[in-house]
Amino acid sequence: MTTGNRKLDHIRICLEKEVEGRSKPFNDLAFVHRTLPGIDADEIDTSCRFLGKDLAMPLMISGMTGGHPDTKDINVNLALAAQEVGVAMGVGSQRAALESAEVEETFSAVRDAAPKIPIIGNIGAVQLKRGGPEVIDHLAEMIDADAIAVHLNFLQESIQPEGETEARGAIEAIRSATDGRVPIIAKETGAGISREDARALIDAGVKIIDVGGLGGTSWSGVEAYRAEERGDGESTTMGRLFWDWGVRTPVSVVECAALGAEVISSGGVRSGIDMAKSIALGASLAGAALPFLAPATKGPLQVAEALRIYERAFRTTMFLTASKNIMDLRSAPVIVLGRTREVLEQRGFDTRKFSIYREMSK
Ligand SMILES: Cc1cc2nc3c(=O)[nH]c(=O)nc-3n(C[C@H](O)[C@H](O)[C@H](O)COP(=O)(O)O)c2cc1C
């Protein structure tokens, strides 16, 4: 099966099936409500900067697609809306364009539709290892990217019979690419990044980590459906077994931010409230993929509408936590409960650090 056709399979399954993880870790987090915010809602400034560009709010549409002619419209619809609302956008793996230049256009159309926002390219660590660091410059040029995400998806690869599980040398490949023209973002795709691996990535020169944590789209789950469709019982069982494997997104944010990385919180970010929780835990930006896929099959207006609901809930959360700007939100108390708290404590973090009264500027 070609890379492009596999991507179409993934999109179809994500649109038709229940592909999300069973754990909803953002439900373990609660802000302290401020009945006297002391500011007007109108004063709130949700803006931030990312990769040297201005954003209306700290959100990106995480990389999903490109690579098959039928995916171009989805990418263009996402890009038009991202440009209109003022958020960043990633494209899906550009591997298919390395294999066949004809599909480059399904990626480059994103920059044509969104000239001003940060656009993030995408390639797998295994392809980077094979192609060498010059692949990064080539991919960046293809879409005039502001950064390239190198994805680490060894869980998904382990479930696919055609999966590429040669993880040896991945960190060296990433290290070799960190002094190129554009920054590298190390990115998981739904199983999260632990402190141990964040340490290795930072030591290799990576400054930005997209945690792609557990709690949203499960790629083990997607592969279970694909396996079921082709009658592969063993891989179906494997996909179901590992459905909820990984580091929960809020845990991963705390583990990576503790080491000083610039963190993108993605994996199960399903509202502007989850975005705000991510920032309060130490992320610079939040990212979401699946929630924008179905709107993107309809048109840019539908994607923009979904983004605006994120924006309104994000702004309202800032208001109700007395956060006038992103700096204030970073120090808004957030209570960590349940399994997320247990995991963080077992990993040596004092979760009260996030929930105790933190003196704010107001
Ligand atoms: C249809 C679809 C395709 C995806 N393709 C890619 C990809 O090519 N490269 C990648 O790094 N991540 C890919 N992802 C993963 C997302 O970027 C994101 O890390 C993951 O879905 C978790 O976010 P979510 O829970 O908001 O969906 C894809 C996600 C979806 C839904």
Side-chain angles (χ1 to χ4, degrees):
M1 175 176 266
T2 65
T3 306
N5 285 337
R6 191 160 58 240
K7 297 300 287 185
L8 280 187
D9 256 11
H10 288 152
I11 287 176
R12 178 180 51 76
I13 290 169
C14 284
L15 286 169
E16 287 175 2
K17 308 276 192 192
E18 180 46 72
V19 293
E20 302 219 46
R22 283 175 280 262
S23 52
K24 306 281 176 209
F26 281 99
N27 291 348
D28 286 344
L29 304 169
F31 278 113
V32 176
H33 171 64
R34 296 291 303 277
T35 197
L36 281 170
I39 48 173
D40 293 348
D42 289 355
E43 292 174 60
I44 290 167
D45 179 6
T46 61
S47 70
C48 68
R49 279 177 76 74
F50 181 57
L51 296 170
K53 293 183 173 168
D54 292 324
L55 296 181
M57 59 177 156
L59 182 65
M60 74 176 280
I61 300 177
S62 299
M64 279 188 277
T65 201
H68 186 285
D70 295 356
T71 62
K72 182 177 160 188
D73 285 352
I74 293 182
N75 261 347
V76 168
N77 291 340
L78 292 169
L80 288 168
Q83 173 72 54
E84 162 77 19
V85 177
V87 301
M89 176 182 165
V91 297
S93 171
Q94 291 167 267
R95 177 182 180 178
L98 293 178
E99 291 166 1
S100 149
E102 282 157 43
V103 295
E104 277 190 12
E105 205 215 349
T106 63
F107 296 102
S108 58
V110 166
R111 179 51 91 195
D112 299 337
K116 298 220 171 95
I117 60 169
I119 302 277
I120 293 103
N122 191 294
I123 194 68
V126 175
Q127 281 77 51
L128 170 61
K129 198 169 72 166
R130 288 201 194 117
E134 46 288 359
V135 156
I136 298 289
D137 284 347
H138 172 58
L139 297 176
E141 234 165 75
M142 190 187 298
I143 59 170
D144 186 18
D146 298 280
I148 300 286
V150 177
H151 70 251
L152 299 153
N153 67 334
F154 290 112
L155 166 59
Q156 179 184 16
E157 300 288 346
S158 301
I159 309 298
Q160 286 177 354
E162 72 267 35
E164 295 179 318
T165 48
E166 304 89 26
R168 192 181 283 276
I171 193 70
E172 288 76 15
I174 289 173
R175 179 179 291 115
S176 73
T178 49
D179 54 5
R181 265 195 324 106
V182 294
I184 294 292
I185 300 177
K187 175 182 184 300
E188 243 288 353
T189 62
I193 295 181
S194 65
R195 188 176 170 130
E196 289 82 344
D197 292 326
R199 176 84 275 158
L201 290 164
I202 291 167
D203 287 349
V206 171
K207 298 200 167 49
I208 310 175
I209 296 179
D210 182 339
V211 303
L214 172 67
T217 308
S218 166
W219 284 94
S220 189
V222 173
E223 293 303 336
Y225 287 118
R226 281 184 74 220
E228 198 172 20
E229 286 177 4
R230 61 173 187 271
D232 174 353
E234 184 179 310
S235 299
T236 309
T237 304
M238 282 287 291
R240 288 193 185 132
L241 267 176
F242 285 84
W243 198 294
D244 285 286
W245 173 278
V247 186
R248 306 169 141 238
T249 300
V251 172
S252 196
V253 168
V254 171
E255 296 212 0
C256 295
L259 297 176
E262 184 171 357
V263 174
I264 302 172
S265 167
S266 72
V269 172
R270 293 295 174 263
S271 71
I273 305 176
D274 295 347
M275 270 176 74
K277 289 173 175 172
S278 300
I279 305 294
L281 286 185
S284 303
L285 206 74
L290 190 68
F292 303 113
L293 180 61
T297 61
K298 301 195 179 93
L301 291 180
Q302 286 78 358
V303 180
E305 193 181 313
L307 286 169
R308 291 220 165 84
I309 296 172
Y310 269 74
E311 185 175 26
R312 184 159 169 198
F314 183 65
R315 182 180 288 278
T316 303
T317 306
M318 286 182 70
F319 184 44
L320 300 178
T321 57
S323 307
K324 199 170 166 185
N325 52 40
I326 301 294
M327 277 275 276
D328 288 346
L329 182 60
R330 280 182 174 278
S331 54
V334 61
I335 299 168
V336 187
L337 299 162
R339 186 141 174 167
T340 300
R341 173 181 169 174
E342 285 169 30
V343 175
L344 279 171
E345 287 182 354
Q346 289 294 315
R347 294 280 289 162
F349 291 92
D350 179 2
T351 51
R352 278 178 317 169
K353 172 179 155 227
F354 300 103
S355 56
I356 54 175
Y357 174 72
R358 294 191 256 177
E359 193 63 60
M360 283 188 272
S361 49
K362 305 156 290 294

